[in-house]
Amino acid sequence: MATEQEFDCDLVIIGAGLTGLSLACWLLDLSRQTNQTLPRVCLLEPRIEYHNDRTWCFWDRESHPFRELITHRWPHWQVSKGARIVSQSSNQTPYAMLPAGEVYRHALACIESCHAFSLRQGVTVLEAKESADSVLVSTTAGQWRTRAVIDTRPPESSCLNQSLGFWQVFTGYEIHRPGHGYDEHMARLMDFQPCERHVCFVYLLPLDADNMLVEWTEFHPGVELPDCRARLDAWLDEQNIGDYTVKRLESAALPMFPITRSRDPGRVIKAGVGAGWMRAATGYHFATCQRSSAELARQILDATASGRWHLQPLQARTHWLDWMDRVFLRALRQHPEAAPDWFLDLFAATTAEQMARFMSDQPGWRDAVSVAKALPTGPFLRATVL
Ligand SMILES: Cc1cc2nc3c(=O)[nH]c(=O)nc-3n(C[C@H](O)[C@H](O)[C@H](O)COP(=O)(O)OP(=O)(O)OC[C@H]3O[C@@H](n4cnc5c(N)ncnc54)[C@H](O)[C@@H]3O)c2cc1C
């Protein structure tokens, strides 16, 4: 039995990326709102420095600790294939962007300002071993004994159901091109490109009259990943964008696969992409990460008060939405060539608010019916049974 003095902290958060940092900020905000005592939290993170390595985009519908930091909002968004364009508009739920650099700066300042929190950088966790009354976390910088652990490390490949989904591979440039000519109020979410066997599209967000973020994205089932950078360069040449300067580059291969995860309560639970919070059917994660971090922070504050540290892993989405997504992924794997028309039909058959709820993992049953009605019966029926 571990005694009080033997605990280095109450909670270890493995990984201080989006989920770890969001959880810390939610804990701080909620403890202030509810006057609950904060646990002593230690965040363990391998990276020594934070860079503006990505942008988080999502539909701006809910409050969260980073909302004030949103740099861009687009009240209009569109999907297109050649001359066919489907657009939606909403001032209530615009498409929004948060640069990671802003999130990191804000979260690190919150952690720094709170005596109950500490962030240890340059530390890689090797193992978290649970016993009846504590967890022993072994790292490259020694051991931490704690009451509970939230593990936000990325998923191991053995947890990904790779027969049912894709790698979402993309390379993006933030470009400076004076007077680029793209409508500043319109987010171009998917401009589908002719591709032989894969879903390929250009994602283009005008940041102002002279700057934009443009990405080439592909959905790939296998391990042979494409050279998206070369395709993006070729597309930019084709568009005669002219002289531009690349200010920043971002790229990734996101696992759009359903994830096997434990639902058992315990002292060590997973959170973030590794816990399936990122939606396999879309690759969007930010909005659900905020909602789930808030729920987890409430559990942790209650555990601090009660001393009962068996935490319950979160179910990020309803079971029926997970089921719909599995059918959608299976249908996409079977008919990648049909994907552009399906996406366009989907946007054409729904309102902007419905789409914003659906993409934020919070559709009501009417939204789900509209989505289901927009998709062709044959391929989707086959995908439910095959
Ligand atoms: C370039 C890019 C753009 C994206 N754009 C969007 C977007 O627009 N909208 C959206 O909703 N989602 C987006 N995503 C997807 C998702 O939101 C991000 O990947 C997000 O950062 C995932 O959060 P996370 O906390 O689960 O993982 P991460 O942010 O990757 O955090 C995991 C942390 O664990 C740490 N770690 C790893 N191994 C160990 C170890 N052994 N010990 C200790 N720590 C460890 C890592 O260093 C990292 O800091 C994007 C992803 C990328 C890569």
Side-chain angles (χ1 to χ4, degrees), residues 22-86:
S22 299
L23 187 55
C25 290
W26 274 105
L27 277 168
L28 198 56
D29 282 8
L30 291 174
S31 77
R32 283 181 181 147
Q33 282 166 29
T34 58
N35 249 338
Q36 279 174 289
T37 308
L38 274 173
R40 289 172 307 140
V41 178
C42 189
L43 294 106
L44 304 178
E45 167 62 41
R47 71 184 115 168
I48 310 278
E49 281 182 21
Y50 283 84
H51 300 284
N52 188 23
D53 58 357
R54 61 197 69 178
T55 45
W56 283 296
C57 290
F58 51 93
W59 278 264
D60 177 29
R61 304 173 56 245
E62 290 162 295
S63 156
H64 54 77
F66 311 111
R67 201 175 195 182
E68 300 278 295
L69 307 174
I70 288 175
T71 52
H72 294 85
R73 286 183 173 84
W74 294 267
H76 312 290
W77 55 86
Q78 71 173 46
V79 290
S80 56
K81 178 190 163 197
R84 186 177 171 209
I85 299 174
V86 178

Side-chain angles (χ1 to χ4, degrees), residues 37-350:
T37 308
L38 274 173
R40 289 172 307 140
V41 178
C42 189
L43 294 106
L44 304 178
E45 167 62 41
R47 71 184 115 168
I48 310 278
E49 281 182 21
Y50 283 84
H51 300 284
N52 188 23
D53 58 357
R54 61 197 69 178
T55 45
W56 283 296
C57 290
F58 51 93
W59 278 264
D60 177 29
R61 304 173 56 245
E62 290 162 295
S63 156
H64 54 77
F66 311 111
R67 201 175 195 182
E68 300 278 295
L69 307 174
I70 288 175
T71 52
H72 294 85
R73 286 183 173 84
W74 294 267
H76 312 290
W77 55 86
Q78 71 173 46
V79 290
S80 56
K81 178 190 163 197
R84 186 177 171 209
I85 299 174
V86 178
S87 49
Q88 296 185 329
S89 301
S90 170
N91 285 316
Q92 280 80 48
T93 58
Y95 194 64
M97 176 195 271
L98 249 175
E102 298 289 317
V103 170
Y104 297 148
R105 225 185 329 275
H106 176 79
L108 296 179
C110 283
I111 291 167
E112 179 81 34
S113 73
C114 176
H115 71 277
F117 292 169
S118 66
L119 167 63
R120 286 286 308 269
Q121 290 179 247
V123 177
T124 299
V125 170
L126 307 170
E127 190 185 28
K129 212 164 179 189
E130 185 172 349
S131 61
D133 62 345
S134 63
V135 186
L136 187 63
V137 181
S138 303
T139 78
T140 48
Q143 293 188 321
W144 271 258
R145 188 172 289 282
T146 181
R147 296 172 204 281
V149 167
I150 308 290
D151 182 358
T152 76
R153 283 173 293 181
E156 294 185 1
S157 57
S158 59
C159 301
L160 304 175
N161 183 348
Q162 297 206 30
S163 63
L164 190 67
F166 301 90
W167 290 101
Q168 182 180 140
V169 197
F170 62 86
T171 292
Y173 293 154
E174 194 177 317
I175 281 177
H176 178 67
R177 162 64 170 86
H180 55 63
Y182 288 96
D183 177 358
E184 285 174 56
H185 306 290
M186 177 66 80
R188 293 157 182 259
L189 301 183
M190 291 189 276
D191 179 16
F192 287 99
Q193 302 297 312
C195 269
E196 288 254 311
R197 282 172 299 119
H198 304 294
V199 178
C200 305
F201 59 87
V202 170
Y203 173 78
L204 192 153
L205 304 177
L207 304 177
D208 56 35
D210 303 326
N211 295 285
M212 60 186 177
L213 176 70
V214 57
E215 296 182 353
W216 180 278
T217 304
E218 299 195 12
F219 293 173
H220 267 250
V223 282
E224 292 241 337
L225 300 180
D227 183 353
C228 288
R229 188 167 181 177
R231 292 180 193 175
L232 178 59
D233 289 337
W235 184 84
L236 284 162
D237 276 353
E238 263 171 48
Q239 302 303 304
N240 292 321
I241 303 267
D243 276 347
Y244 58 83
T245 321
V246 176
K247 292 163 59 186
R248 199 176 59 80
L249 182 144
E250 68 179 64
S251 63
L254 303 179
M256 295 172 68
F257 300 102
I259 286 183
T260 313
R261 52 197 183 264
S262 164
R263 303 207 190 288
D264 296 335
R267 287 182 182 270
V268 181
I269 63 166
K270 297 277 297 172
V273 172
W277 291 9
M278 187 173 80
R279 181 131 168 230
T282 64
Y284 281 101
H285 170 240
F286 185 87
T288 295
C289 179
Q290 296 314 312
R291 214 176 303 120
S292 302
S293 296
E295 208 177 320
L296 202 48
R298 283 186 205 101
Q299 268 198 62
I300 292 164
L301 291 174
D302 289 347
T304 311
S306 68
R308 286 191 293 277
W309 280 96
H310 278 82
L311 302 172
Q312 179 65 52
L314 298 183
Q315 171 71 32
R317 284 167 295 280
T318 58
H319 290 293
W320 60 264
L321 188 55
D322 276 344
W323 176 82
M324 275 180 84
D325 285 354
R326 279 196 298 276
V327 173
F328 188 69
L329 286 169
R330 198 174 291 125
L332 274 188
R333 286 270 298 236
Q334 290 166 354
H335 300 280
E337 74 296 343
D341 290 319
W342 291 350
F343 278 105
L344 266 70
D345 291 347
L346 200 55
F347 278 77
T350 48

